[in-house]
Amino acid sequence: DTLVAEIYGPTPAAREDLARTVRSLFEATPGVVDVDDSLEAPRSRAEVVVDREKAGLKGIPATVVVEAVAGPGAGRDLARLDVPASREPVPVRLQLSAADRASLEQRLSLRVDYPGGAVALSELTRVRKTPEPQPIVHKDLKPVVYVFGDLAGERESPVYALAALNAKLDALPEAERIERYAVEAPETQDRRALKWDGEWQITYDVFRDLGIAFAVVLVLIAILVIGWFQSFTVPLAILLPIPLSLIGILPGHWVFGAFFTATSMIGFIAGAGIIVRNSIILVDFIELRMAQGMP
């Protein structure tokens, strides 16, 4: 996703609360659309507990009650039929309909035989509602909650959206302040923290790798030029136009309302290569003419 916030915290409740706060900030930021998170909607689960005392008084084993509750829902094979059209025996399965399986009341209305007659399962059990726990997602062995978002509008670079979101996070009360990480995730999960990921991480990696490669190439070019011209001042004259080229690049982006992206960085490096080549040819031509006596 374009925008990804990784939420870390010491407890599931802390992570979920922080994720909801960050999601509300996503939704309140202009240009951020399709906001979502890795949390599931709150829901409860029904636990059917056998009342062993009531079942024991009627002489009904707890296993019979459990089988009566679960069996008709999961289905139980009662027999097998030999069908000529089938190479294998066809099982005959007893199972409640889909609508009855979905209704706990229908399940508990089933009756169980005992020596004195029959009794409904609802009289032998009690239902306990408990909240369904949220799924636990891990990254690098640390539990995490994700908040996702996309961008739409004029500013499609994640850097500007992250700047707006960071400003909103800075405006939170002191008690709700969040530690933020731009590149590396927090080493521990003993406090609430947020790490920006997604397209921002890709952008950072691209700029970092291109920058390192560019710096290494400049050093190699300087070494080669020093060896060729036998001078330490000539390479300075050759490499000086590289930073000066930004004088044209940055105003150009500003005039046309374009954002400085990885593509811009690649163009800057390509332009620097052309400038260095032209500088070497020009300086070599000048030194050749000076060797021939031209002032």
Side-chain angles (χ1 to χ4, degrees):
D1 290 76
T2 305
L3 293 176
V4 177
E6 298 176 359
I7 308 298
Y8 298 92
T11 63
R15 292 190 294 271
E16 293 167 18
D17 181 63
L18 180 55
R20 293 187 177 94
T21 300
V22 174
R23 174 166 181 163
S24 66
L25 296 179
F26 270 51
E27 294 170 342
T29 302
V32 180
V33 298
D34 297 336
V35 180
D36 199 0
D37 55 51
S38 60
L39 297 175
E40 294 186 357
R43 62 192 191 281
S44 60
R45 69 194 305 176
E47 295 182 355
V48 181
V49 183
V50 178
D51 191 328
R52 295 178 178 273
E53 184 178 354
K54 289 183 179 180
L57 291 175
K58 295 183 180 298
I60 303 175
T63 54
V64 173
V65 179
V66 172
E67 174 64 22
V69 174
R76 182 170 53 191
D77 293 345
L78 301 180
R80 292 182 178 273
L81 297 179
D82 292 325
V83 180
S86 176
R87 295 168 56 184
E88 301 288 338
V90 177
V92 178
R93 173 167 293 184
L94 178 66
Q95 187 180 37
L96 289 175
S97 66
D100 289 340
R101 290 200 302 271
S103 172
L104 185 61
E105 289 75 13
Q106 289 291 92
R107 293 271 195 106
L108 298 182
S109 67
L110 298 174
R111 306 176 71 83
V112 178
D113 293 331
Y114 74 102
V119 60
L121 291 173
S122 58
E123 298 182 21
L124 302 175
T125 60
R126 60 180 183 275
V127 179
R128 183 170 58 197
K129 292 290 183 72
T130 58
E132 184 77 13
Q134 288 284 346
I136 300 177
V137 182
H138 287 82
K139 180 177 180 181
D140 298 333
L141 302 181
K142 290 189 287 287
V144 63
V145 177
Y146 292 102
V147 180
F148 313 101
D150 207 342
L151 294 178
E154 296 181 358
R155 297 185 172 185
E156 295 187 357
S157 174
V159 177
Y160 303 96
L162 292 185
L165 287 168
N166 280 323
K168 292 179 181 291
L169 290 170
D170 291 334
L172 292 175
E174 188 68 28
E176 299 181 17
R177 291 292 173 87
I178 307 165
E179 290 188 14
R180 273 161 284 164
Y181 297 82
V183 181
E184 299 292 339
E187 295 183 359
T188 62
Q189 57 193 42
D190 56 347
R191 54 187 179 274
R192 305 193 317 164
L194 180 153
K195 181 200 174 289
W196 296 117
D197 202 87
E199 214 171 272
W200 149 255
Q201 186 74 42
I202 299 173
T203 303
Y204 169 80
D205 292 340
V206 168
F207 272 85
R208 179 198 61 196
D209 296 344
L210 286 176
I212 293 174
F214 188 49
V216 171
V217 168
L218 288 181
V219 172
L220 294 176
I221 290 175
I223 293 173
L224 292 174
V225 172
I226 291 172
W228 178 259
F229 291 103
Q230 299 296 310
S231 170
F232 288 97
T233 57
V234 171
L236 293 178
I238 291 175
L239 299 178
L240 181 62
I242 293 177
L244 296 179
S245 64
L246 288 172
I247 297 175
I249 293 175
L250 296 182
H253 280 72
W254 176 74
V255 168
F256 291 99
F259 298 108
F260 195 86
T261 62
T263 308
S264 305
M265 184 72 170
I266 295 172
F268 168 63
I269 294 175
I274 296 172
I275 289 171
V276 169
R277 183 198 64 183
N278 292 346
S279 298
I280 292 175
I281 293 174
L282 183 59
V283 170
D284 192 44
F285 176 79
I286 292 172
E287 291 210 340
L288 180 63
R289 286 293 180 262
M290 290 175 64
Q292 293 173 355
M294 183 176 290

